[in-house]
Amino acid sequence: MQSSNFTRWAILALCALTIILAFTMPTLMLPVLFAEMAEELDLTILQLGVAWGSISLSGIVISLFGGALGDRFGSKKTLAVACLLMGILGALRGLSSNYITLIATFMLYSLVAPAIPPNLHKAGAYLFPESKGISTGVISTGFAFSLFLGSRFLATWVSPTLGGWRNTLFMFGAIGIVFGLIWLFAVPDGVLPQPAGRDKPFFSGIFSGINRVIRVRELMIISAGSLLFWGCYRGFTGYVPIYLRNLGWDAVKADSALSNYFLASLIFALPIVYLAEKWGQRKPLLILAMLLNGVGVILIGTGNEFWIIVGLIAGGIMFDAYMALHQAEVLDLTGIGPFVGSALGILGVSREIGGLFSPPFGNWLSQFGDTAPFFFWGGLGLVAALVYMILPKRKPVID
């Protein structure tokens, strides 16, 4: 079905709104609520790190199969069901009564949430096949906008207004359900990627797509860099609010400090993506993004207020530009064929692996000093820059 220009832009806007309200805020903005969670549930900093990392444990499998299921059943149905389930399971987190139930509800939620991003980016690339970088850039800008708003207002205004972190999670659960219904009933049939591999049995069809894309060497390089980057990001963002409070910053200032990182990302995301698409080269910018992020995170670990702000801004400049560029690079890989969701799923698995080990290990390092974890997380970003240096500039071709 040929979609009109208005329909294409309307659905791309829906993709951006979905990433803002249904995915990013309820998934990645939890750290700004950790202080009140820890106080009410009597959690240690290590327990918070384990809980934050546990989101990635079940997410490792779902990231892979979420993209593959999108290939199998089509993007519209997959996004509708994922948003509905994410809303229901996300609301359950607000019922947590102790450390064990918190981890359990976090992991239940992450059985669904990682399926959202690969299918959104696949839909955007399908609607704008000649401008994959721009479509991923628009979605990633929504990601940046959500992170900025969440870091600035979620703990300081939304949670107090709603009566605490529990009601905040209930609200996001309701939003997820609403977006599921929008994808199900408002998006026309036939305008998004249709099912692939339906001629094969269910599991055979899913694994054939995964088996095909995993043989693309360049996908493995991009995924390795993404693993290291996400380990850096998930680790330091979960720790910063508590770290700054320990340095003597007042609660409001500490909880909103991450907004500097996300504001820099929001400002520069689309211009950098546009520059990359005009230039025709993404590799140098991928390397630069990792260098800035690694150095920025290390500067946060100095404990000096001036360098903390500089580090947050420097690290954030290319955060969402990177998220757009490395996914656009995957979308352009020759050899992926119709199994774009599977390829983006492999990328998502890599990120979740990084997000699993990094927060608890980094938080464990805090026993050697509050600043010690930042040198570990910053180092992951610098190693990611080295990984992207071996990425070929030309598109790969496989038989």
Side-chain angles (χ1 to χ4, degrees), residues 366-382:
S366 66
Q367 65 182 304
F368 303 107
D370 287 344
T371 64
F374 292 101
F375 295 94
F376 164 65
W377 292 319
L380 294 180
L382 297 179

Side-chain angles (χ1 to χ4, degrees), residues 223-394:
S223 296
S226 184
L227 183 155
L228 293 165
F229 165 74
W230 205 244
C232 171
Y233 168 77
R234 284 289 291 273
F236 97 86
T237 54
Y239 181 70
V240 158
I242 293 175
Y243 163 72
L244 295 179
R245 289 187 182 211
N246 289 341
L247 288 180
W249 292 34
D250 66 71
V252 173
K253 187 177 178 182
D255 291 340
S256 62
L258 278 173
S259 64
N260 294 287
Y261 183 91
F262 299 124
L263 178 60
S265 177
L266 177 61
I267 292 171
F268 288 99
L270 274 180
I272 291 173
V273 170
Y274 180 78
L275 172 65
E277 298 309 296
K278 281 294 192 181
W279 186 14
Q281 291 291 338
R282 300 185 184 112
K283 174 181 174 178
L285 293 174
L286 293 176
I287 296 170
L288 178 60
M290 296 301 94
L291 291 174
L292 283 173
N293 205 69
V295 171
V297 171
I298 290 173
L299 288 176
I300 298 170
T302 61
N304 178 277
E305 182 171 348
F306 173 78
W307 290 114
I308 288 172
I309 299 301
V310 170
L312 286 167
I313 294 173
I317 284 175
M318 295 190 66
F319 170 67
D320 279 288
Y322 165 78
M323 294 298 292
L325 292 173
H326 86 298
Q327 292 183 100
E329 192 74 2
V330 169
L331 292 169
D332 275 341
L333 292 177
T334 303
I336 299 300
F339 300 106
V340 173
S342 297
L344 291 174
I346 294 289
L347 195 63
V349 168
S350 301
R351 287 197 297 267
E352 296 300 337
I353 291 174
L356 173 64
F357 79 86
S358 174
F361 184 74
N363 283 19
W364 175 80
L365 288 175
S366 66
Q367 65 182 304
F368 303 107
D370 287 344
T371 64
F374 292 101
F375 295 94
F376 164 65
W377 292 319
L380 294 180
L382 297 179
V383 174
L386 296 177
V387 169
Y388 284 129
M389 286 181 183
I390 66 174
L391 181 68
K393 289 184 179 180
R394 293 183 178 273

Side-chain angles (χ1 to χ4, degrees), residues 12-362:
L12 185 61
L14 177 59
C15 289
L17 288 172
T18 302
I19 208 76
I20 291 171
L21 296 172
F23 176 78
T24 307
M25 281 200 185
T27 306
L28 299 179
M29 280 291 93
L30 286 179
V32 300
L33 302 176
F34 277 173
E36 54 181 306
M37 286 183 182
E39 183 178 357
E40 183 173 334
L41 300 179
D42 193 25
L43 304 178
T44 68
I45 191 169
L46 179 57
Q47 287 175 324
L48 283 174
V50 173
W52 185 224
S54 72
I55 294 177
S56 294
L57 184 58
S58 47
I60 289 172
V61 175
I62 300 306
S63 292
L64 176 60
F65 289 102
L69 288 171
D71 292 335
R72 178 76 179 188
F73 294 109
S75 296
K76 175 184 172 177
K77 288 182 179 179
T78 304
L79 285 167
V81 173
C83 286
L84 286 168
L85 290 175
M86 192 169 65
I88 295 169
L89 296 175
L92 284 179
R93 298 175 300 175
L95 301 176
S96 301
S97 59
N98 53 42
Y99 176 52
I100 299 300
T101 55
L102 185 71
I103 289 182
T105 55
F106 274 17
M107 292 182 68
L108 277 174
Y109 175 78
S110 62
L111 285 173
V112 179
I116 298 291
N119 284 290
L120 289 176
H121 284 288
K122 178 183 178 180
Y126 181 83
L127 293 168
F128 296 88
E130 303 303 321
S131 306
K132 295 184 179 73
I134 300 301
S135 68
T136 59
V138 169
I139 296 171
S140 293
T141 300
F143 188 76
F145 183 69
S146 180
L147 290 169
F148 169 68
L149 287 181
S151 60
R152 175 66 69 175
F153 300 114
L154 196 58
T156 58
W157 183 76
V158 176
S159 180
T161 300
L162 294 178
W165 64 274
R166 296 182 186 276
N167 290 338
T168 302
L169 295 180
F170 294 151
M171 178 195 70
F172 284 129
I175 290 173
I177 292 172
V178 169
F179 271 90
L181 295 174
I182 292 173
W183 280 103
L184 186 61
F185 295 112
V187 175
D189 292 328
V191 300
L192 292 179
Q194 299 303 297
R198 294 295 292 271
D199 56 320
K200 299 180 180 179
F202 180 74
F203 287 106
S204 176
I206 288 178
F207 281 105
S208 65
I210 295 172
N211 181 61
R212 174 170 176 172
V213 301
I214 206 169
R215 294 185 293 119
V216 180
R217 175 175 174 267
E218 286 74 8
L219 174 61
M220 296 299 100
I221 295 173
I222 296 169
S223 296
S226 184
L227 183 155
L228 293 165
F229 165 74
W230 205 244
C232 171
Y233 168 77
R234 284 289 291 273
F236 97 86
T237 54
Y239 181 70
V240 158
I242 293 175
Y243 163 72
L244 295 179
R245 289 187 182 211
N246 289 341
L247 288 180
W249 292 34
D250 66 71
V252 173
K253 187 177 178 182
D255 291 340
S256 62
L258 278 173
S259 64
N260 294 287
Y261 183 91
F262 299 124
L263 178 60
S265 177
L266 177 61
I267 292 171
F268 288 99
L270 274 180
I272 291 173
V273 170
Y274 180 78
L275 172 65
E277 298 309 296
K278 281 294 192 181
W279 186 14
Q281 291 291 338
R282 300 185 184 112
K283 174 181 174 178
L285 293 174
L286 293 176
I287 296 170
L288 178 60
M290 296 301 94
L291 291 174
L292 283 173
N293 205 69
V295 171
V297 171
I298 290 173
L299 288 176
I300 298 170
T302 61
N304 178 277
E305 182 171 348
F306 173 78
W307 290 114
I308 288 172
I309 299 301
V310 170
L312 286 167
I313 294 173
I317 284 175
M318 295 190 66
F319 170 67
D320 279 288
Y322 165 78
M323 294 298 292
L325 292 173
H326 86 298
Q327 292 183 100
E329 192 74 2
V330 169
L331 292 169
D332 275 341
L333 292 177
T334 303
I336 299 300
F339 300 106
V340 173
S342 297
L344 291 174
I346 294 289
L347 195 63
V349 168
S350 301
R351 287 197 297 267
E352 296 300 337
I353 291 174
L356 173 64
F357 79 86
S358 174
F361 184 74

